[in-house]
Amino acid sequence: MSLRRRLDDRFGRRSRYAASAFVGQVAFAGIAFAGSVFVARVLGPAGRGEVTAWTLVAFIGAVVLAGPIPNGLGRTFLEGNSKVLLATAWAHGAGCFAIAAVVSAVALALGFDPLLVACFVFVSTPTAVVALDLLVPFQAAKRPWSYQVPRIAQGAIFTIVGFAVLVAEPEHTNEYIWAGFAGGSLAGALTISVLTYSNFGAARKVALEDAARLGRGSYLASLLDVVVQRLDQIMVVAIAGTSSLGIYGVAVNWSEIGQYLGLSISHAVYESESTLDRAAAKHIFRRAAVFVGGFSALLAA
């Protein structure tokens, strides 16, 4: 009997998936946290705060542009139409590139730094949309490492660039950091695209309308989740400036560790009602609350 089968028999498929997803999430977070430390050492609190603010712009912009498509593509996979995922995600990304080009033109007209706009608006936001579109089907497929590897690749490039800048101390260090973030975003989108092709294949058919229909009802919840998580940082930078945000961002990195376990469990139960009914979902929710609450208490201590 294979190790995977033995783990499934002992803990259940969802439990094994949640554990793997949590390990992958911690690995990604650790790499990204190291990058944050390197950036803080290179740029100081104010510079790190500026980078944090622009990463928020890119991430929130991606969630806004993603709409209901990511969850729709997850449900597309559950319906057995996995071959349309890749073409649909990149068609969605192409539309987002067009929108990002318009927004970038407006930002340049307002006097923002061209490289800053190019890295965080024109490159990072649309590529993040593509990654978001393709991450959810891997949740539905119960393939945690295919979900985490693209995110690890994204964080690794940013961290490697930050470390290189810290060691080499070149001129215009902030510009290298910006480019590192954009390069990481692009690498994440390309990595998950390759994994999607190798796992599910690809057809030329684009199913944006079908994905939007299947994802209907999920957009507001996803958007509010991001706003609640990130609004505090927006308030900090608005009230106290980028230096305070740079310091506060490190605290946020620590505070989110407890959330990773809850997210890992939620990824493990992305299923249709044919395999996960309401009673089972409520049972998992109650057990998850106990585990996440206990873990967060230990983390706080």
Side-chain angles (χ1 to χ4, degrees), residues 53-63 119-121 124-126 128-129 181 185:
W54 279 96
T55 58
L56 283 173
V57 168
F59 180 65
I60 294 175
V63 172
C119 290
F120 288 97
V121 178
S124 295
T125 300
V129 170
F181 183 83
S185 297

Side-chain angles (χ1 to χ4, degrees), residues 67-76 132-133 136 211 214-215 218-219 222 270:
I69 301 298
N71 276 303
L73 288 178
R75 290 168 182 166
T76 297
L132 287 172
D133 283 353
V136 181
L214 290 171
S218 64
Y219 181 44
S222 299
Y270 193 101

Side-chain angles (χ1 to χ4, degrees), residues 3-24 139 142 144-145 260-271 276 280 283-284 287-288 291:
L3 176 60
R4 175 175 291 189
R5 179 65 61 83
R6 289 199 297 271
L7 290 173
D8 286 350
D9 290 344
R10 178 66 180 85
F11 300 106
R13 186 184 181 196
R14 295 190 188 102
S15 297
R16 177 174 58 81
Y17 177 94
S20 298
F22 181 62
V23 171
Q139 293 179 30
K142 298 289 189 292
W145 285 104
Y260 300 154
L261 180 58
L263 286 174
S264 300
I265 296 170
S266 72
H267 292 174
V269 295
Y270 193 101
E271 302 176 27
L276 181 67
H283 175 70
I284 291 171
R287 293 192 67 185
F291 281 112

